[in-house]
Amino acid sequence: MEAASALSYQSCSWNGPERGGRRTGGGLRIQKGFGVDRRRPSINLQVSQAGTSSYRSESLQMKISCCCNRKEESEKFLTGVDEALILKKKSEDVIPYMNERCLFLVGMMGSGKTTVGKILSEVLGYSFFDSDKLVEKAVGMYSVAQIFKERSEAFFRDNESKALRDLSLMRRLVVATGGGAVIRPTNWRYMKRGITVWLDVPLEALARRIAAVGTESRPLLHNEPGDPYTKALIRLSTLSEERGDAYANADARVCLQHIASKQGHGDVSALTPTAIAIEALIKIESFLSKDKAVERLTYF
């Protein structure tokens, strides 16, 4: 695959989650003929009072529920606005130091490289590429799983290296790499022409994500026994031991557990992709600052 062919692929722009909806309401429906029986006023009066009391109680509960929902929606909206502003400000701080270098995201399958990558490409004014998609298109197959099944993992890895080589010759790209891209030293030589960022996600969280969407598209998980979560966790644990040191070669590490702790969350699933993108920019800025300092020391 040539560099020119990689350029021909349309880059994907990421749009944030849209908010919207309609209010739904309820009302009390009174059927014809419903009224007070004059022959038994005391009984009907009690029923009427009970019905009124119940209706008022339900109305009060509905009002409280609506108020709580509006408060939660308002807080989420404000959080989204705050994060968007922080993301924009941080990107403005980082862009001058990037020198149009490419950004390569590495990490385990399901770590959010594509989602976060699209956010970063949008805010940095870069184009986005998924290396797996480029390989699929180059070899004329619809998925990585198909390539593994009909050809081999080695065949896929060879084409993955070609794609990363071509992408590394370009500028102003955010690239989401495959989970196993880090196992070949030659791939690191290509990616180190830009800036590499590791999205480090707890294995349990990864297993939950993968189990929720299914393991069919994950060729390395097919042969594991058990339910989807157990199957994913067992295989991810093995892959993490094999690749842990390789991921650590990245220029910047974005630890989702650390972000969750800072924000007071007990689970990384509470984090928004924007919050993760912000942390990525913070880590990139830190790396570039150190890199700049080393350059000055070398110069003098």
Side-chain angles (χ1 to χ4, degrees), residues 84-296:
L85 291 173
I86 295 171
L87 181 69
K88 185 175 185 300
K89 176 63 172 64
K90 185 52 61 179
S91 68
E92 291 171 350
D93 294 339
V94 170
I95 288 173
Y97 298 97
M98 293 284 291
N99 293 328
E100 299 188 343
R101 280 180 285 183
C102 291
L103 196 59
F104 293 89
L105 301 183
V106 301
M108 295 283 279
M109 62 179 81
S111 59
K113 299 184 293 290
T114 296
T115 301
V116 175
K118 288 180 179 179
I119 297 174
L120 290 171
S121 67
E122 183 77 18
V123 76
L124 292 172
Y126 277 28
S127 297
F128 174 79
F129 287 97
D130 182 321
S131 64
D132 283 353
K133 298 298 181 185
L134 293 179
V135 173
E136 290 166 7
K137 190 165 185 177
V139 301
M141 296 188 185
Y142 66 87
S143 70
V144 175
Q146 183 189 16
I147 299 172
F148 271 54
K149 182 179 180 180
E150 297 185 9
R151 300 302 295 268
S152 66
E153 180 177 357
F155 176 80
F156 171 80
R157 297 298 174 198
D158 289 341
N159 282 276
E160 179 180 56
S161 294
K162 292 176 184 177
L164 292 174
R165 178 200 63 197
D166 294 342
L167 291 167
S168 71
L169 298 174
M170 304 176 198
R171 311 287 283 177
R172 298 175 62 83
L173 302 180
V174 173
V175 180
T177 66
V182 297
I183 62 178
R184 287 193 171 186
T186 186
N187 291 344
W188 280 107
R189 287 198 296 273
Y190 300 142
M191 294 190 292
K192 284 291 187 175
R193 292 172 181 171
I195 301 164
T196 51
V197 179
W198 172 25
L199 299 187
D200 184 11
V201 185
L203 297 182
E204 294 79 6
L206 287 176
R208 286 195 298 270
R209 290 181 186 178
I210 293 170
V213 299
T215 59
E216 291 77 12
S217 63
R218 309 289 183 178
L220 295 180
L221 301 180
H222 283 174
N223 297 324
E224 296 298 334
D227 60 275
Y229 173 79
T230 303
K231 182 190 298 187
L233 185 59
I234 291 173
R235 186 55 176 153
L236 287 170
S237 298
T238 302
L239 292 174
S240 179
E241 291 179 4
E242 294 173 356
R243 301 173 180 175
D245 292 340
Y247 287 131
N249 287 324
D251 299 316
R253 176 191 176 206
V254 178
C255 178
L256 269 66
Q257 191 63 63
H258 176 65
I259 307 172
S261 298
K262 284 198 304 183
Q263 295 191 2
H265 299 307
D267 191 341
V268 298
S269 63
L271 297 174
T272 66
T274 303
I276 300 169
I278 291 171
E279 184 71 10
L281 289 174
I282 291 172
K283 295 297 183 180
I284 291 169
E285 183 180 33
S286 176
F287 164 72
L288 292 175
S289 298
K290 292 177 182 177
D291 195 40
K292 201 71 175 176
V294 170
E295 284 182 7
R296 285 197 295 269

Side-chain angles (χ1 to χ4, degrees), residues 30-43:
I30 302 176
Q31 297 179 352
K32 290 183 179 180
F34 181 82
V36 177
D37 187 342
R38 294 182 181 177
R39 292 174 296 177
R40 302 177 68 181
S42 60
I43 295 176

Side-chain angles (χ1 to χ4, degrees), residues 8-65:
S8 68
Y9 299 128
Q10 295 276 336
S11 62
C12 304
S13 62
W14 178 87
N15 291 321
E18 296 180 359
R19 300 178 181 272
R22 297 180 300 177
R23 290 186 182 177
T24 58
L28 182 65
R29 187 175 183 181
I30 302 176
Q31 297 179 352
K32 290 183 179 180
F34 181 82
V36 177
D37 187 342
R38 294 182 181 177
R39 292 174 296 177
R40 302 177 68 181
S42 60
I43 295 176
N44 280 317
L45 180 60
Q46 291 174 3
V47 172
S48 177
Q49 288 174 343
T52 301
S53 175
S54 175
Y55 172 67
R56 287 176 178 171
S57 176
E58 290 176 1
S59 298
L60 180 60
Q61 290 175 2
M62 287 177 65
K63 288 180 180 178
I64 293 172
S65 177

